[in-house]
Amino acid sequence: MKHNVIRELTIDCATASRAQLLELLKNGKPPAIDLSSLETIDLSGIQELVALLREASLANRETHLTGALGAEVQRSIVLSGLCDRECASGETLERAIRSLL
């Protein structure tokens, strides 16, 4: 992960990406997590984003998901059941996740 840019959120990189996402919460400024470079996501990655937004909310830290999502990422999100149709952006994904919190 380069600063706040994420390329992969899968079970294979869960430990490293979780630590990096949590590090963003510790920074002094509110993070905007850019998902436009995200190439692949699975249920583990979706769980990481849910946990991140939940922890940010509990800590009263403003955190947002941003960026256009690629076709494969959108397909994975829809297949997960989190969104029932197109999920074209980080903002849309954030709204879906926040509806669960």
Side-chain angles (χ1 to χ4, degrees):
M1 178 187 308
K2 178 184 159 193
H3 299 290
N4 64 347
V5 177
I6 301 170
R7 297 207 184 285
E8 181 178 1
L9 284 172
T10 64
I11 191 71
D12 294 333
C13 68
T15 302
S17 59
R18 174 119 173 104
Q20 291 168 328
L21 287 170
L22 290 175
E23 185 62 32
L24 289 172
L25 280 181
K26 294 178 186 177
N27 292 339
K29 61 181 181 176
I33 312 299
D34 182 0
L35 300 178
S36 62
S37 296
L38 187 62
E39 297 169 357
T40 184
I41 192 169
D42 62 13
L43 287 174
S44 174
I46 292 169
Q47 289 172 333
E48 287 181 50
L49 293 175
V50 170
L52 173 77
L53 292 176
R54 180 181 297 126
E55 290 176 35
S57 179
L58 291 173
N60 292 320
R61 297 292 313 251
E62 188 175 333
T63 303
H64 297 285
L65 304 179
T66 65
L69 301 177
E72 288 299 316
V73 171
Q74 289 183 51
R75 188 175 359 266
S76 295
I77 292 167
V78 170
L79 287 174
S80 77
L82 182 59
C83 294
D84 58 355
R85 55 186 128 128
E86 183 179 86
C87 186
S89 68
E91 293 84 0
T92 304
L93 177 57
E94 179 182 341
R95 283 192 299 276
I97 291 171
R98 290 196 187 277
S99 74
L100 300 173
L101 304 178

